[in-house]
Amino acid sequence: VVACVTTTSTNSSSSFVMAVSLGDSPIFQSIQLPLKEQQDHEPSPFLAMCCTGIKGDAQFLIKAVQKYSANVWERYNIDTLHVPTVAHGVSRIMGRFAISHRAESKEWQSSSLFVGLPGTGAKGNDDEENNASTSWARPLGVQTIIVSCSPPSDDDSFSSPTTMLLQVEPSGRILTPVACSSSDSSSDCRFSCAAACIGRDCDKLQARLLQLFSSTNPKSSPTTTSKGKSTLSSLSWNDHPPTIETCQEDLIRILLEETTTSSSLPSRIRSSSSGNKKNNDIISVETFSTRTGQLSRSLYTYKNTKSFFPRM
């Protein structure tokens, strides 16, 4: 689950992006070259992506995007890419991965190992054009979220928020977050926030994220937070932008309630008691804030859907 929030007032302006996931694996994969920070000694914009799906496909996609970012800097001297540009590049990579002009030349994109599929006839029976048009291939099995968080600009314009989030499906389709809100530009305290999710149970998580932005946000059962306090569901994000603390509490609570069902808890307990080292009871939280200019990472452990605590 990923969320980004921008808050601007007459005195200050701040932005942050946050990702919450089960397990202890890193979430954000940086694709921004650190050139601006080295040259100007100023905090560089945070540009990263997170993926779920086939691990090998995710590694291939991340390396391809990082190489694309390096090529853009080398050719055009542009060291800061925008989220729509990266999303378009990811979409093209996913589309080109599933295209093979010569099915025999790329084993992972062809159907030459499967007898009877179109485009795999013996040489001489099918011409090259027919093989190219009927070669069987699979898309990258990866869902991707691309986020950016930039320091506030010098001007007082709120037309371009300092955080942005886009989602790319395995088919290459680019989606804007459905769970989002923004305040009136005439108000003293202006804000913009959005949230999206990928991976298992994303349909359930998406419905819960929409509830966060609903004016009639239903109260959930009490949850023991990382500070040991019992809390109820926070105020609607549509009216009150969350702070880093409230955002973390809300996202962890939603993730636990929708992914750690009662039927899955016994298997988690059995795996830990039998010596299995899989970190199924760990929650990872990564946050980048313009106030600190750094990416922070925290690990929490949970016993059930009602309580979580910092990992010692």
Side-chain angles (χ1 to χ4, degrees):
V1 184
V2 181
C4 57
V5 180
T6 297
T7 305
T8 304
S9 63
T10 56
N11 298 327
S12 63
S13 177
S14 64
S15 305
F16 69 88
V17 294
M18 179 179 295
V20 179
S21 176
L22 295 178
D24 60 350
S25 300
I27 306 175
F28 284 129
Q29 302 292 332
S30 178
I31 55 179
Q32 178 63 49
L33 297 175
L35 300 175
K36 184 176 180 180
E37 183 176 359
Q38 295 177 0
Q39 294 176 358
D40 303 336
H41 302 285
E42 296 178 358
S44 61
F46 177 75
L47 180 64
M49 59 189 296
C50 51
C51 305
T52 61
I54 302 176
K55 186 176 181 180
D57 289 1
Q59 292 177 348
F60 167 82
L61 180 62
I62 292 170
K63 290 182 179 179
V65 175
Q66 291 174 342
K67 182 179 179 181
Y68 169 75
S69 176
N71 291 340
V72 170
W73 169 77
E74 183 178 2
R75 175 171 295 185
Y76 303 105
N77 195 26
I78 298 176
D79 56 4
T80 303
L81 297 179
H82 300 286
V83 170
T85 304
V86 177
H88 179 69
V90 170
S91 178
R92 293 188 63 186
I93 292 173
M94 289 182 170
R96 290 186 175 184
F97 183 84
I99 296 176
S100 176
H101 296 291
R102 292 182 57 86
E104 303 87 351
S105 62
K106 296 183 179 180
E107 179 180 331
W108 67 88
Q109 291 183 343
S110 68
S111 57
S112 58
L113 300 179
F114 299 91
V115 179
L117 293 181
T120 60
K123 293 184 178 181
N125 295 337
D126 295 329
D127 55 18
E128 183 176 351
E129 182 179 357
N130 184 47
N131 282 331
S133 61
T134 59
S135 60
W136 288 69
R138 67 169 182 86
L140 284 172
V142 178
Q143 284 182 302
T144 307
I145 289 181
I146 306 167
V147 295
S148 67
C149 184
S150 304
S153 57
D154 295 334
D155 57 3
D156 193 24
S157 174
F158 194 71
S159 58
S160 58
T162 57
T163 58
M164 193 171 186
L165 184 153
L166 287 177
Q167 182 177 342
V168 184
E169 292 292 299
S171 62
R173 185 176 60 165
I174 301 174
L175 305 176
T176 57
V178 178
C180 59
S181 67
S182 60
S183 63
D184 188 0
S185 59
S186 61
S187 60
D188 294 335
C189 182
R190 297 164 291 180
F191 67 89
S192 174
C193 53
C197 57
I198 53 178
R200 188 184 64 180
D201 298 325
C202 61
D203 294 338
K204 297 179 181 179
L205 292 171
Q206 184 65 41
R208 292 297 303 274
L209 291 177
L210 289 174
Q211 291 182 2
L212 281 178
F213 292 87
S214 174
S215 300
T216 58
N217 189 9
K219 298 293 184 180
S220 64
S221 56
T223 302
T224 304
T225 66
S226 57
K227 297 181 180 180
K229 299 181 180 179
S230 179
T231 180
L232 292 174
S233 177
S234 66
L235 297 175
S236 170
W237 287 15
N238 192 44
D239 302 322
H240 304 276
T243 62
I244 292 181
E245 292 76 13
T246 58
C247 181
Q248 175 177 294
E249 304 289 352
D250 287 342
L251 295 186
I252 292 179
R253 172 176 49 81
I254 289 176
L255 187 66
L256 288 180
E257 291 179 357
E258 296 301 330
T259 59
T260 58
T261 60
S262 57
S263 60
S264 64
L265 285 178
S267 62
R268 296 172 184 269
I269 297 175
R270 286 195 300 269
S271 63
S272 60
S273 60
S274 61
N276 193 340
K277 297 303 182 181
K278 292 183 179 179
N279 297 318
N280 290 329
D281 59 344
I282 295 177
I283 305 172
S284 299
V285 180
E286 293 184 3
T287 306
F288 179 88
S289 173
T290 56
R291 292 185 176 179
T292 62
Q294 296 179 351
L295 179 66
S296 62
R297 174 176 170 84
S298 303
L299 296 178
Y300 297 86
T301 182
Y302 64 92
K303 297 181 179 180
N304 49 52
T305 61
K306 304 302 180 185
S307 60
F308 60 92
F309 306 94
R311 187 184 183 191
M312 304 302 294

